[in-house]
Amino acid sequence: MDKTIPAHRQYILDNLFESFSIVSDGNYVFLCDMYYDYSRWSEAAVTNFGLPSPYMFQAGTIWEEHIHPDDRAAYHKSIEAIFSGKESGHDMQYRALNTNGQYDVCTCRGILMRDKEGNPEYFGGAIRNHGQQSHIDSMTGFPNQYGFFEDLNSNIRAGKPVNIAMVGISAFREINELYGYLFGNSVLQKFGRTIFDYAGNRGCVYRMDGTRFCVMSHTETIEEMSEKYNALRDFCRDRFKVDGSDLILDLNAGFFSLDNFSLDARTVYTCLSFAYSESKMRRQGDPVRFFEELSRGDRGQVEMLHLIRESIPRNYRGFCLFYQPVVDAMSEKVIGAEALIRWNSPAYGTVMPDNFISFLERDSMFPELGRWILTTAIEASKEIRKTIPDFHISVNLSYTQLQKPDFADMVLDVLRVTSYPSEYLTLEVTERCRLLDMDLLENIFIRLKTAGIKFALDDFGTGFSSIGVLKKLPFDIIKIDRSFVQKIEHDDTERKLMHEFTNLASTFNAEVCVEGVETAGMRDILQYYPVSTFQGYLYSKPMDIEHFMDYIKEQQ
Ligand code: C2E
Ligand code: CA
Ligand code: CA
């Protein structure tokens, strides 16, 4: 090709390049006049990668030499498709060699502009150098969470729809324990590369925390991404080899479609993590898309959850606690209450916890809300104890709260700040806490129980490993779920089960609380069993603090 470019084309190229640069947002910019295969690149790219000059003939070939040999073929294919006019843009990730002899992971986005006849005329775009911005995970070489959030935010700002997958490995700890950390690292590196190969040039890969990676794509649908995930999953189950060892990796994946740009990046991330956890806990790794998992699976739901989440840093606006009486099974006198959270807003009315807790509990802000719940419940209990001196308050915990290393300190600190007697506080946890490290949990139990706090195992019988949890952790109270007593007036099996449950509780030296006592008939039967306390609509539904105070004053 003739190595000259007419002055008027050079003029257009420079003008276009300048306008591109204005909106480049810290990226390198490139623009190619395809009639002459003549390009201009940002100075910063020239310096970082040691390119011959900002102006280059056949820049594609020059650039290709800087690309990592493993990524070259995909790059070459994409560029060829653009120059032949088959594709009108590219959006891909590759590693490029810099002047320090290291590879920087780059995300390159370019578009093709055609002339009036439809022939390719200009190819221009931007290259983001993740290595330069130190948004790189040093172990795998992929952009890390910072890179992920940066790209996600720029898509949100630009109103650009994007589909995101979060993929990770189950029970990775076993691999580390069995083979050592170095081997574990090799597994993660290989896993990252494998995801990268499956994503092809249609998505960008990010290394998130632990074993989780994300893929962001503008071009693939969630269905296409799920299909690729299923293929990847099969591969990891029977053909995954590292250093000559055959491994079986079990994967999980959550998906999210970003097309609502009023959300912030953190909310998107929480939705994605939620779908991922659903895949892990309930679907044995089947792909889970965020919307399908919600009881009211509409878009309004995500906006509502976004608002609920945003209320946490806004002074917990809209959150409030309701209190349901706990009564002595024999005297039926109020001896305590369980605090139950609600969220109110003018647009959504009162929202019940089942609609937001499982979503919020995976959010990084949940521990703050947990502290607020504990403090608010204790302050209310202090008020109530002026009328009922022996009053106990029960507070629900999410297993994710127990995961925080400072959880026990937080509880003890709240007790200190409120000067509340710890023997009158019960913490309720469900058997889902079995997902946590048992040694860690035991430590928390020992520290808090030594301080006088009681623990209740909530929703006993609904999970599949309630007995296992009871064996490991010293619970003071077992709360029998209402699903076991609903038909106790007519159903012999429920009566037998109640017999078994109360026996089991006495084996473990725990008291029994029965939830969901709705009728006098149920109460009459339940009073034959060694049950300490009742809770249920027969006595009262949960009430706000004003109604609760009126209620107990009436009872006195
Ligand atoms: P849970 O801890 O099992 O709470 C008991 C639930 O049963 C409450 O629902 C209560 O209103 C309901 N209930 C009580 N008595 C009866 C009855 O006689 N009949 C019927 N049908 N239902 C009865 P609620 O308030 O909707 O709470 C649902 C769940 O949300 C709670 O189940 C708990 O798992 C969670 N939750 C509530 N507050 C909190 C909180 O502050 N933190 C955490 N982590 N979870 C919470
Ligand atoms: Ca509870
Ligand atoms: Ca319960």
Side-chain angles (χ1 to χ4, degrees):
M1 187 177 290
D2 188 359
K3 286 215 165 200
T4 53
I5 175 167
H8 74 280
R9 299 281 309 179
Q10 173 89 47
Y11 178 75
I12 298 173
L13 180 85
D14 282 334
N15 273 321
L16 274 175
F17 184 88
E18 302 297 348
S19 7
F20 260 49
S21 300
I22 292 169
V23 292
S24 71
D25 194 11
N27 300 323
Y28 309 132
V29 173
F30 62 89
L31 182 66
C32 173
D33 182 332
M34 295 169 86
Y35 290 174
Y36 299 91
D37 199 357
Y38 179 76
S39 304
R40 181 168 168 190
W41 284 52
S42 297
E43 288 285 355
V46 174
T47 323
N48 189 58
F49 297 104
L51 301 173
S53 138
Y55 294 96
M56 292 174 277
F57 280 101
Q58 298 182 333
T61 316
I62 298 172
W63 184 231
E64 203 176 301
E65 281 165 18
H66 285 75
I67 292 180
H68 193 287
D70 289 351
D71 303 341
R72 228 172 254 171
Y75 172 79
H76 189 84
K77 211 169 135 205
S78 170
I79 289 295
E80 241 179 25
I82 288 161
F83 273 71
S84 64
K86 267 191 261 157
E87 294 271 8
S88 45
H90 86 167
D91 184 344
M92 63 181 303
Q93 209 175 36
Y94 46 63
R95 290 159 295 173
L97 192 63
N98 63 29
T99 44
N100 297 327
Q102 280 154 352
Y103 281 100
D104 290 340
V105 173
C106 297
T107 306
C108 176
R109 303 199 166 108
I111 50 160
L112 177 74
M113 289 161 266
R114 295 173 196 268
D115 59 19
K116 284 205 291 289
E117 282 73 44
N119 300 314
E121 187 177 6
Y122 287 102
F123 175 55
I127 298 173
R128 164 147 306 189
N129 185 338
H130 298 282
Q132 280 297 297
Q133 290 154 342
S134 79
H135 285 178
I136 270 302
D137 170 55
S138 55
M139 198 214 344
T140 59
F142 289 107
N144 56 17
Q145 299 208 37
Y146 298 107
F148 174 84
F149 279 110
E150 190 178 75
D151 288 356
L152 184 56
N153 274 321
S154 76
N155 284 313
I156 292 173
R157 274 199 303 274
K160 230 173 148 190
V162 68
N163 289 322
I164 314 170
M166 181 183 275
V167 183
I169 309 171
S170 273
F172 196 71
R173 191 151 31 130
E174 285 168 20
I175 293 180
N176 274 334
E177 279 168 9
L178 218 57
Y179 300 92
Y181 279 95
L182 280 179
F183 184 84
N185 286 353
S186 306
V187 174
L188 283 181
Q189 283 162 348
K190 164 104 194 247
F191 183 55
R193 289 292 310 163
T194 313
I195 295 178
F196 183 88
D197 291 342
Y198 274 80
N201 59 5
R202 303 195 61 183
C204 292
V205 180
Y206 304 82
R207 160 95 197 278
M208 309 304 279
D209 55 344
T211 71
R212 298 190 296 177
F213 289 74
C214 278
V215 181
M216 236 190 264
S217 174
H218 294 292
T219 47
E220 293 211 311
T221 61
I222 295 280
E223 288 70 29
E224 287 167 329
M225 289 174 104
S226 303
E227 244 169 65
K228 281 193 176 166
Y229 165 70
N230 283 329
L232 172 76
R233 199 174 161 200
D234 290 344
F235 175 83
C236 290
R237 265 189 199 149
D238 52 49
R239 268 165 295 144
F240 200 88
K241 258 193 196 330
V242 175
D243 299 346
S245 300
D246 282 314
L247 294 177
I248 298 171
L249 301 182
D250 279 321
L251 308 189
N252 312 292
F255 296 84
F256 186 81
S257 253
L258 174 71
D259 51 9
N260 174 346
F261 303 100
S262 63
L263 301 179
D264 66 9
R266 278 278 158 196
T267 304
V268 171
Y269 183 73
T270 303
C271 296
L272 201 56
S273 307
F274 179 80
Y276 180 87
S277 307
E278 288 295 309
S279 164
K280 183 168 169 179
M281 318 276 204
R282 279 199 251 234
R283 303 288 190 82
Q284 281 86 41
D286 284 346
V288 171
R289 188 177 177 167
F290 179 69
F291 287 123
E292 291 153 9
E293 285 318 300
L294 295 166
S295 42
R296 273 190 285 146
D298 58 355
R299 262 123 224 269
Q301 181 85 356
V302 180
E303 259 159 31
M304 184 187 81
L305 290 172
H306 177 59
L307 280 178
I308 297 181
R309 184 180 175 277
E310 279 199 320
S311 308
I312 300 177
R314 302 218 160 100
N315 210 13
Y316 311 97
R317 192 174 65 192
F319 286 108
C320 86
L321 294 184
F322 271 41
Y323 300 89
Q324 184 176 37
V326 175
V327 306
D328 180 274
M330 281 305 155
S331 67
E332 297 183 283
K333 282 212 164 79
V334 178
I335 58 128
E338 175 175 4
L340 296 155
I341 197 162
R342 309 281 181 262
W343 184 80
N344 294 289
S345 87
Y348 293 97
T350 298
V351 184
M352 301 303 275
D354 285 336
N355 292 312
F356 61 85
I357 285 288
S358 57
F359 167 81
L360 272 193
E361 68 187 5
R362 293 177 182 93
D363 198 284
S364 55
M365 280 197 283
F366 193 79
E368 274 175 63
L369 181 64
R371 184 182 175 114
W372 179 85
I373 294 171
L374 186 64
T375 313
T376 310
I378 284 180
E379 291 294 357
S381 181
K382 275 170 72 178
E383 233 5 75
I384 302 166
R385 286 169 59 81
K386 292 179 186 159
T387 313
I388 306 176
D390 277 345
F391 185 84
H392 286 75
I393 190 77
S394 293
V395 178
N396 290 287
L397 299 178
S398 285
Y399 74 96
T400 52
Q401 281 173 275
L402 293 159
Q403 237 167 353
K404 286 263 298 174
D406 64 352
F407 175 75
D409 291 334
M410 183 280 285
V411 174
L412 295 172
D413 191 50
V414 170
L415 287 171
R416 192 183 51 78
V417 173
T418 53
S419 15
Y420 186 81
S422 46
E423 312 82 76
Y424 294 95
L425 171 66
T426 301
L427 298 176
E428 298 192 2
V429 292
T430 65
E431 53 86 36
R432 283 177 78 200
C433 68
R434 72 175 194 285
L435 298 167
L436 303 176
D437 186 297
M438 273 298 150
D439 294 338
L440 175 116
L441 261 185
E442 253 185 312
N443 271 333
I444 295 177
F445 268 60
I446 291 167
R447 266 193 80 194
L448 295 181
K449 276 175 67 87
T450 313
I453 296 166
K454 296 194 174 62
F455 280 91
L457 179 57
D458 204 355
D459 303 339
F460 183 83
T462 54
F464 49 83
S465 54
S466 302
I467 298 178
V469 171
L470 264 187
K471 248 180 92 180
K472 289 215 170 86
L473 298 169
F475 280 99
D476 304 279
I477 301 162
I478 290 173
K479 296 190 76 168
I480 297 181
D481 190 68
R482 65 187 180 85
S483 58
F484 294 104
V485 295
Q486 267 166 338
K487 298 191 292 277
I488 200 152
E489 288 170 76
H490 323 285
D491 185 355
D492 202 35
T493 313
E494 284 196 355
R495 294 183 202 199
K496 284 185 184 143
L497 271 177
M498 188 52 61
H499 182 73
E500 295 302 327
F501 286 169
T502 48
N503 267 341
L504 199 70
S506 82
T507 308
F508 290 104
N509 275 328
E511 288 181 4
V512 174
C513 170
V514 176
E515 296 187 275
V517 180
E518 292 184 353
T519 64
M522 285 164 85
R523 173 204 54 202
D524 294 344
I525 292 170
L526 286 165
Q527 281 178 334
Y528 281 103
Y529 297 89
V531 171
S532 301
T533 49
F534 288 150
Q535 211 181 316
Y537 293 172
L538 173 64
Y539 303 100
S540 169
K541 289 195 170 176
M543 301 164 268
D544 62 25
I545 186 67
E546 287 77 26
H547 285 92
F548 191 87
M549 294 305 285
D550 293 344
Y551 173 85
I552 53 169
K553 282 181 184 137
E554 268 169 36
Q555 306 278 308
Q556 295 302 303

